[in-house]
Amino acid sequence: MRAGDVSVSPAEEITLPVGSEGEEDTDPLLLPWDRFSAWLHCICVVGFDLELGQAVEVHLSMVVIMDNKYMFPICSSCLAGCLGDTQFCFRFRQASGRKCSLGCFLDHFDRDAPVCLKRDPGHYYGYVYFRQVRDKSLKRGYFQKSLVLISKLPYVAFFHSLLKLIAPEYFEKQEPCLEAACNDIDRWPTPHPGKILSLPVMGTVLKVCPKNNKHLHFLPSIHEVDLFRCFHPVFFHIQMLWELVLLGEALVVMAPSPAESSDTVLALVSCISPLRYCSDFRPYFTIHDSEFKEYTTRTQAPPSVILGVTNPFFAKTLQHWPHIIRIGDMKQAGETVKQMKVKKLKNLKTLDSKPGVYSAYKPFLNKDEDIIKQLQKGVQQKRPSAAQNAILRRYFLELTQSFIIPLERYVASLMPLQKSICPWKSPPQLRPFLQEDFMKTLEKAGPQLTSRLKGDWIGLYRQFLRCPNFDGWYRNRTREMMQKLEALHLEALCEEVGTCCSKREDLSDLLQTQAERDQLPLRPGTLTKLQAHIDSVILSLPEDLQGILHKPSTT
């Protein structure tokens, strides 16, 4: 699926010719509900009973993914101030021992997908559409209900768009509407990176298509949040926040609503893209989460995690955390934000404290005044929010790339030379990553080649090499390079075996001639045994290689 544009249009307006991008997935290995499971694990309806509390009223799924005791972070007390319709997302751990359905299909998808679109191996995302309206006929005085989509896929914008189509219909027509939506989703093709997909649901088509189609309404991305809107209240500190996320520091975002909490956490995680954030993050975290005690304990240092919270209780519970971002109501793109200094943690008492960044952290890099002036100028000139977002996203991308390129260059040098690959020996091993050797390369091939920023880059790298983000990145690069080595080794082996086997018809004559020349009589059956051994070697190879080796010789 293209990480580009998602558009919505009436289904009857779209005519897809045979063989076009909308061609139905006819994979014979896919069973009923397999396509549904490739996108979603379940659809839940969560209601709020005055006596029982939170209750799952509807659960549509072919798999069980959660313990029955799991408490969705969407209790009525958490969302008491959210009148009308609210959308946000949360994230929770996959229960131990649970296996994901359609593993082989999703593994294939992950192999080709960019980092930002890969499924989450150990967690699920919950995408929520919550409705709260006054209803005097109910004891509580309010109608409170949530439609929740659970998925392994981090397609935030896409699933929020899907919920905007399904949820209002469900609140009006109830369960038959959900069953129809599930049947539609089960006819979708499985996710494919780079492929244009047409996804019909409830009389509408979600379509990944070119932006120049004026008849379709599109979203700028299937997975990204609006960075500028999220960072607008604290954009004077965006470079410092980038460092904190890069280094996997413990961060808590205190926001007035679940929507602002989840969007800000997702913005933080995405600001180091294309580097993958490898620590835990919870876009919306409540006292009902199973990791509540683990993450709020004072008996050990705060873990490497980013939490988004709204409950005032956390202002006291997490006041020992080293870095706290207090978000007020998110301003519109055209509103001016006053410059604020980083504040001391002791000044944060409650969620009523003023918005800002509370931390004792001293950034390694000098502050980039140019990006601040550029964004400020955009606010003054009422530059469109989409343009501001593009500027900020490009800034983060270039900053991260400048940081990661020296690491990529050094790690590439650890790869053995191709000439060292011998078909009759095991593949060579990668040379080890030596921190001091890497540091020596920074003098001539460091980030100064691509970034104008000055500061303690060496110190930043030393800190990074000790954090989970480096560990995750290095493991991934090591795995990719070993796969490359194994592929080169197999290629060399196939070439060597192919050369031998292409001449195997001449082996009898060759051995007979050699024996006669050396006056060595061949034992009965020697040639037959040799031929049988060669055939057994070929049969042990994958079928595609067998076909290559069985081709008649052209020499």
Side-chain angles (χ1 to χ4, degrees), residues 169-209:
E169 288 288 316
Y170 164 72
F171 290 132
E172 181 180 343
K173 301 176 182 178
Q174 300 302 305
E175 285 186 41
C177 170
L178 289 186
E179 293 174 0
C182 289
N183 286 324
D184 286 339
I185 294 171
D186 193 45
R187 291 197 293 268
W188 290 1
T190 54
H192 289 283
K195 185 177 180 180
I196 298 176
L197 302 179
S198 294
L199 310 175
V201 59
M202 298 173 61
T204 302
V205 169
L206 294 172
K207 187 176 175 66
V208 181
C209 67

Side-chain angles (χ1 to χ4, degrees), residues 192-445:
H192 289 283
K195 185 177 180 180
I196 298 176
L197 302 179
S198 294
L199 310 175
V201 59
M202 298 173 61
T204 302
V205 169
L206 294 172
K207 187 176 175 66
V208 181
C209 67
K211 291 185 179 181
N212 58 4
N213 191 330
K214 63 182 180 181
H215 300 293
L216 301 176
H217 172 69
F218 62 85
L219 294 174
S221 170
I222 64 170
H223 67 285
E224 295 172 345
V225 295
D226 188 332
L227 284 182
F228 181 69
R229 184 179 64 85
C230 295
F231 287 134
H232 192 217
V234 291
F235 79 76
F236 288 101
H237 310 299
I238 53 174
Q239 189 177 314
M240 172 183 169
L241 297 178
W242 175 84
E243 285 192 23
L244 293 176
V245 176
L246 178 74
L247 300 178
E249 290 286 326
L251 263 169
V252 60
V253 175
M254 297 183 175
S257 73
E260 291 164 323
S261 166
S262 62
D263 282 355
T264 303
V265 171
L266 292 171
L268 287 167
V269 169
S270 69
C271 77
I272 62 170
S273 180
L275 188 66
R276 184 168 191 166
Y277 182 78
C278 296
S279 296
D280 193 7
F281 62 95
R282 303 300 175 91
Y284 181 49
F285 189 77
T286 75
I287 59 175
H288 301 290
D289 274 273
S290 55
E291 289 79 37
F292 172 75
K293 289 185 179 179
E294 175 186 345
Y295 286 164
T296 58
T297 181
R298 290 174 176 266
T299 59
Q300 57 188 25
S304 176
V305 63
I306 301 177
L307 300 182
V309 303
T310 61
N311 194 327
F313 174 76
F314 284 106
K316 181 178 181 180
T317 307
L318 299 178
Q319 64 181 358
H320 64 292
W321 276 44
H323 319 291
I324 297 174
I325 305 171
R326 170 73 172 93
I327 299 291
D329 293 329
M330 290 187 179
K331 298 178 181 292
Q332 297 299 318
E335 295 185 37
T336 304
V337 177
K338 295 181 180 179
Q339 183 167 359
M340 299 174 293
K341 294 182 179 180
V342 177
K343 303 173 184 179
K344 296 180 180 179
L345 285 167
K346 66 180 182 180
N347 293 334
L348 182 66
K349 301 298 181 182
T350 68
L351 271 182
D352 293 329
S353 300
K354 293 181 179 180
V357 178
Y358 295 77
S359 174
Y361 178 81
K362 182 179 179 181
F364 287 94
L365 305 181
N366 299 338
K367 193 170 185 177
D368 189 342
E369 298 291 348
D370 291 343
I371 183 64
I372 300 299
K373 292 177 181 177
Q374 189 176 7
L375 292 174
Q376 280 183 309
K377 185 177 181 180
V379 171
Q380 295 167 358
Q381 296 179 345
K382 300 189 182 302
R383 183 185 294 149
S385 180
Q388 294 280 80
N389 179 53
I391 291 171
L392 188 54
R393 188 167 294 281
R394 181 175 179 178
Y395 168 76
F396 281 134
L397 175 63
E398 292 178 350
L399 184 57
T400 304
Q401 287 179 329
S402 292
F403 180 82
I404 211 71
I405 284 173
L407 282 163
E408 291 280 4
R409 187 182 294 115
Y410 173 73
V411 168
S413 71
L414 304 180
M415 186 86 163
L417 297 176
Q418 188 166 352
K419 65 181 181 181
S420 67
I421 298 175
C422 175
W424 307 118
K425 296 181 180 179
S426 298
Q429 296 297 306
L430 298 173
R431 290 189 290 277
F433 187 104
L434 301 177
Q435 180 174 320
E436 292 307 317
D437 285 355
F438 165 68
M439 292 299 175
K440 291 176 183 177
T441 67
L442 296 177
E443 182 178 354
K444 294 183 178 179

